Amino acid sequence: MSLREDDPRSVGGHRIEARIGTGGMGVVYLARSASGRAVAVKVVHARFADNAEFRARFRQEIAAARRVSGAFTAPVVDADPDAERPWMATAYVPGRTLAERVTESGPLDWPALHRLGTELAEALREIHRAEVVHRDLKPSNVLLLDEEGDDGAVRVIDFGISRAASSDVRTQTGMVMGSPPFMAPEQFSRPREVGPAVDVFSLGALLVYAATGRSPFEADNAYVAAYNTVHSEPELGGLPEPARRLVTACLAKDPAARPTPGEVLEALAKLPGAPARTRDSGDPGSPGAAGSRDERGNAGAPPLPPGAGATVLSESAGRRVGHRRWVAIAAALLLGAAGTTAAVLSLGPTNDAVPRTVTGSTTRTTPAGWQPWRTTLGRDDEVRAGPSLSPSCTPDALGVFCSTPEAALLRLSPTTGRVDWTRPMKDRGVLGPAVSRPVVHDGLVYVRSADAARGVDAFDGRTGKRLWHLDGPVAEFSYLSGVLVARLDEFGASKSADYAAYDPRTGEQVWRRELASASPSPFHAGAEGMLYADLRGGSGPIARIDARTGRTLGTVTAPEGDLWLATVHDGTAYYARWEDGTGVSAAFFIQDLETGRTRRIDFPWSVEPEAPPLVHGDTMYLFDYGNEALLALDLKRGKPLWTSSRELRVFGEPALHDGRLYVNMPDTSVLALDPRTGEEIGRTDPPFDTAGRSFEELSPSPVPPLPAKGVLYGVNDLGVFSVADVS
């Protein structure tokens, strides 16, 4: 990629020649040292320069890369985490990633596969000896050096989310991180407790990929890949017979049952048909060192002339749906099936479980008898122990509705925070209850049924009376355009599924039809009585569907490319374009769903739009997970209006109400911003004490604050609260 006007021309004495890649945290450049040596320089985005915690993360990445520098990893040439914009330089060597090698040349034969397994096992042995766990071993993080026209020695690169055994600093914001088709099951259930065994699991998955071109848990999106990893047996496909037993052991669900890298080496040496000689890690003939990558694991191309571009492979469609958000939701689903759930994450819909735009004027006079309140609903001990068995809640003007392992549904009083009524679980069932965030609309509450059937129950939000019941299994459900839409199958069963719409008050089925789609949540709300269905990857276009009859009214062809249909608003679709499969986006495509006319808006930097943006009038508000910032875009001019200050560190999706934007903050306070300028109007006092908790122990809230009758209701990692609205 050619340099841009604002790119540096020199970093730490290294002359910048071209861009290699970019991500949510920084940019990677091809550069030359004073002696002419090719290096890859990662430079942190300017907005993170004053963030002390981010600098600590970056120092950890540098330290991890230095600790493991060796024959099979990327040596650090130079670094300065204390520079005005922190940077790190590693040696740059031509080569292909394993992903590129398999895509361009096909699966590896047995001798090449044996060599790959041996060198990866040696690399992991050295990494683990340095007391570092990589945690994101995947095809784009394995570099195969060029050697006489063939792929040579292995280099393991990108320690951006690695963890040293002695370090408490994380590079994730309390969320599950990694690449689902190659992650170990425990990375979804116990992400803060993972050990070296996760890398061995990834090694097994890599060998299957190298031999077959597919992960053993391949799926169309990260959600299903995560489900397959935890619940399904691996698909080994055409993996050579000599390796099947070893790879199966590496892919054991129980970390304790997996071999160590040393044991993998011993087993490979004994396999029949192994090459007589594999490269020794100390072979002086090995090409000298590591390739360059951006922080997302994108591959550096062969040596680049100034201004040349690097070809980067999108490795899996799984990251097309907002990577970290989907993985977090998947974790909730997987844990819910085992009797636990991730804190405040939804098994049900994500489109409008909580309304994010509230219209009409309100007074900020608080209701009679109201006092600020907070409740943990018994989650204090659970938060200390980990994100399990936690309630999942939805605030509403009627109160806060919660689902817990003990209660199918309960309502907290909007005035006192005390439990008004509760509907207990009827039958935990063999698999245990599924805790899902309640869907609330117009006084009705929809929640996962209180039995093992995994259906849906509808309740009167005022009285708690159950109005109707839908038998399961129901993979997901949401209130959209005047009907309750449900997918009538087990989650992840197939691309093609039966969908049905129900009268929200009576439960009467109004239509049912089979649809094929690559999206696990294909429906979006239109105007009252109109649905939009994303049928790409299945039966084709974006379809306009009559919400009352299920009849297709028309279709429009979506823009081409690796696009995620993030949201639909007022008959317009908003697609995020992924950058080379990295999970970050540089642009949005905006399409009129009547005419098909499409235009593009470029972002001022690469963002992580992992939740649907909030569109109001001619403005889009986007929560950038990677940069923990709020971005406002003028949709008419296609230009940014403002971004939140780097000091604010936004911690959740926004809600727009009565001329104010409300967002959650890491200290559990709620911030009010002017939606026109991004200027701070005020903030509430934190309802919870976060003293003693590092930022990395908390998770961004997936539930925006809800203003109602002069008070704010909120849900965060620590509990549920109500505070006075910002005056």
Side-chain angles (χ1 to χ4, degrees):
M1 288 181 281
S2 58
L3 292 174
R4 301 177 184 176
E5 249 183 63
D6 57 348
D7 283 331
R9 294 304 183 259
S10 177
V11 175
H14 303 285
R15 178 170 49 86
I16 302 299
E17 295 186 350
R19 279 188 171 221
I20 293 173
T22 185
M25 299 301 179
V27 181
V28 180
Y29 300 97
L30 172 66
R32 300 282 173 181
S33 68
S35 65
R37 181 183 187 184
V39 294
V41 180
K42 179 197 291 190
V43 181
V44 171
H45 285 312
R47 63 182 299 101
F48 292 112
D50 295 333
N51 188 316
E53 290 187 17
F54 180 82
R55 284 183 182 266
R57 296 179 186 180
F58 194 65
R59 286 190 186 94
Q60 175 184 307
E61 179 178 354
I62 294 170
R66 278 177 166 156
R67 290 174 71 175
V68 303
S69 287
F72 293 101
T73 52
V76 176
V77 174
D78 197 3
D80 188 356
D82 298 314
E84 183 177 353
R85 287 181 64 184
W87 59 272
M88 174 176 64
T90 61
Y92 181 85
V93 180
R96 291 190 289 179
T97 65
L98 178 60
E100 291 170 323
R101 164 63 176 81
V102 170
T103 300
E104 296 167 6
S105 305
L108 276 59
D109 59 19
W110 171 233
L113 186 68
H114 183 277
R115 177 180 180 179
L116 174 70
T118 300
E119 294 185 348
L120 280 175
E122 287 187 6
L124 290 182
R125 183 180 62 183
E126 298 309 309
I127 291 169
H128 295 168
R129 282 176 177 172
E131 298 185 341
V132 172
V133 182
H134 191 284
R135 300 199 302 165
D136 196 22
L137 196 64
K138 58 187 178 183
S140 59
N141 281 345
V142 174
L143 178 68
L144 307 176
L145 275 63
D146 287 343
E147 183 183 21
E148 297 179 358
D150 197 2
D151 296 307
V154 161
R155 295 291 185 269
V156 174
I157 47 84
D158 195 348
F159 289 81
I161 67 168
S162 63
R163 187 176 73 185
S166 59
S167 173
D168 287 330
V169 180
R170 309 288 200 278
T171 56
Q172 77 273 24
T173 310
M175 303 290 281
V176 181
M177 291 189 68
S179 302
F182 300 93
M183 290 167 65
E186 62 268 27
Q187 288 180 273
F188 300 106
S189 59
R190 302 184 303 279
R192 294 187 177 95
E193 301 172 15
V194 299
V198 301
D199 291 341
V200 175
F201 188 95
S202 299
L203 168 60
L206 280 174
L207 292 177
V208 176
Y209 174 85
T212 68
R214 292 173 56 87
S215 157
F217 305 101
E218 193 76 36
D220 288 324
N221 58 68
Y223 202 177
V224 180
Y227 184 93
N228 291 345
T229 301
V230 173
H231 291 290
S232 304
E233 292 303 312
E235 292 287 342
L236 302 184
L239 183 70
E241 192 60 37
R244 297 179 79 89
R245 184 173 179 182
L246 173 60
V247 168
T248 300
C250 292
L251 296 175
K253 305 296 186 189
D254 180 4
R258 296 172 204 151
T260 65
E263 290 169 339
V264 172
L265 281 170
E266 292 178 9
L268 284 168
K270 297 175 181 177
L271 290 181
R277 175 184 178 273
T278 58
R279 178 176 300 276
D280 180 71
S281 61
D283 186 349
S286 300
S292 57
R293 293 296 183 275
D294 67 14
E295 64 268 30
R296 294 286 173 168
N298 293 326
L304 298 173
T311 301
V312 184
L313 177 69
S314 173
E315 170 189 311
S316 168
R319 285 173 289 171
R320 297 175 183 172
V321 284
H323 174 65
R324 267 192 297 185
R325 182 175 178 86
W326 274 118
V327 175
I329 294 172
L333 178 79
L334 305 172
L335 295 170
T340 58
T341 186
V344 201
L345 294 177
S346 171
L347 272 169
T350 59
N351 286 340
D352 67 346
V354 181
R356 298 199 292 155
T357 302
V358 185
T359 57
S361 61
T362 62
T363 174
R364 289 184 171 83
T365 302
T366 58
W370 175 88
Q371 291 291 330
W373 56 262
R374 64 178 185 177
T375 178
T376 63
L377 285 175
R379 90 171 62 196
D380 284 346
D381 292 335
E382 294 151 7
V383 171
R384 283 190 288 271
S388 63
L389 297 174
S390 296
S392 191
C393 302
T394 300
D396 185 76
L398 289 176
V400 181
F401 296 92
C402 300
S403 177
T404 77
E406 292 75 33
L409 183 67
L410 60 83
R411 188 182 78 176
L412 301 176
S413 165
T415 304
T416 66
R418 299 189 182 96
V419 176
D420 283 337
W421 48 258
T422 183
R423 298 297 172 261
M425 287 288 176
K426 292 180 179 179
D427 176 17
R428 289 179 178 273
V430 177
L431 295 178
V435 179
S436 66
R437 191 195 315 160
V439 177
V440 185
H441 183 82
D442 195 23
L444 300 184
V445 186
Y446 310 94
V447 70
R448 187 71 62 188
S449 61
D451 52 34
R454 290 185 168 277
V456 179
D457 283 333
F459 291 89
D460 185 315
R462 294 172 177 80
T463 65
K465 177 183 178 182
R466 191 174 82 164
L467 302 177
W468 53 267
H469 168 77
L470 173 62
D471 288 334
V474 173
E476 65 163 9
F477 57 95
S478 52
Y479 180 93
L480 300 170
S481 302
V483 293
L484 192 81
V485 180
R487 175 173 169 167
L488 306 179
D489 65 356
E490 293 285 359
F491 182 83
S494 66
K495 289 183 181 179
S496 180
D498 282 340
Y499 291 88
Y502 299 87
D503 184 295
R505 294 202 168 271
T506 66
E508 179 184 357
Q509 185 179 114
V510 295
W511 57 261
R512 177 171 178 165
R513 60 182 293 187
E514 183 179 9
L515 293 173
S517 172
S519 171
S521 301
F523 283 100
H524 296 261
E528 190 72 11
M530 176 75 74
L531 293 169
Y532 294 96
D534 181 2
L535 305 182
R536 293 174 300 159
S539 44
I542 309 296
R544 300 191 304 278
I545 294 177
D546 189 318
R548 302 175 186 86
T549 66
R551 185 168 59 91
T552 298
L553 302 176
T555 62
V556 64
T557 301
E560 294 183 356
D562 189 9
L563 303 177
W564 167 47
L565 178 52
T567 192
V568 173
H569 175 74
D570 196 23
T572 303
Y574 297 84
Y575 305 85
R577 190 201 73 179
W578 299 136
E579 282 190 356
D580 305 315
T582 60
V584 299
S585 181
F588 253 77
F589 288 83
I590 303 174
Q591 182 180 41
D592 186 313
L593 290 176
E594 289 288 338
T595 66
R597 188 178 298 112
T598 303
R599 58 194 176 93
R600 167 178 169 158
I601 290 181
D602 290 309
F603 295 140
W605 65 83
S606 294
V607 302
E608 290 187 58
E610 298 182 358
L614 173 60
V615 178
H616 182 74
D618 293 323
T619 307
M620 173 195 289
Y621 302 97
L622 185 72
F623 176 39
D624 179 0
Y625 272 74
N627 295 307
E628 290 152 3
L630 195 61
L631 171 64
L633 291 165
D634 184 326
L635 297 177
K636 276 191 173 180
R637 296 186 302 145
K639 302 291 185 182
L641 289 173
W642 53 263
T643 62
S644 57
S645 165
R646 70 181 67 172
E647 287 80 18
L648 286 181
R649 202 165 195 178
V650 175
F651 212 50
E653 300 164 34
L656 180 62
H657 173 80
D658 198 23
R660 299 179 177 191
L661 280 173
Y662 294 89
V663 291
N664 290 305
M665 304 297 287
D667 66 356
T668 74
S669 62
V670 176
L671 180 71
L673 299 172
D674 186 325
R676 298 166 300 175
T677 65
E679 294 181 1
E680 181 175 339
I681 295 173
R683 71 177 74 195
T684 68
D685 291 330
F688 292 96
D689 182 8
T690 57
R693 295 182 189 273
S694 71
F695 179 81
E696 303 306 331
E697 291 181 281
L698 302 171
S699 296
S701 174
V703 183
L706 175 70
K709 299 180 181 178
V711 300
L712 289 166
Y713 301 99
V715 178
N716 58 39
D717 212 22
L718 303 181
V720 186
F721 64 90
S722 178
V723 295
D725 198 352
V726 177
S727 59

